[in-house]
Amino acid sequence: MRWAQLLRRIYLVDVLACPCGGRRAIVADISDSEVVVAILAHLGLPMEAPPIARARSPGFDFT
Ligand SMILES: [Zn+2]
């Protein structure tokens, strides 16, 4: 099973669906962290992963 099919099956999100109605295509697989950081910086996106938080139930009260 392809990774996109797995994501759709688990998260109900079609990661290859484009807002224009077309289908996205994978053009590269970048695993070099320095390159990834450079791309994220260029796009103005966060370069650090979000902090890991504990799982909580839907009714969890933060107060
Ligand atoms: Zn498109």
Side-chain angles (χ1 to χ4, degrees):
M1 187 175 285
R2 296 173 54 190
W3 66 271
Q5 291 173 312
L6 291 171
L7 290 174
R8 187 175 188 165
R9 186 172 172 178
I10 295 169
Y11 298 109
L12 306 178
V13 173
D14 185 0
V15 295
L16 298 180
C18 183
C20 76
R23 301 293 295 165
R24 293 181 175 127
I26 307 289
V27 295
D29 177 11
I30 303 168
S31 58
D32 183 332
S33 63
E34 290 182 21
V35 175
V36 172
V37 167
I39 292 171
L40 291 173
H42 176 77
L43 295 174
L45 296 172
M47 293 175 281
E48 301 288 330
I52 296 174
R54 294 184 59 173
R56 53 192 177 277
S57 65
F60 182 79
D61 184 7
F62 287 98
T63 58

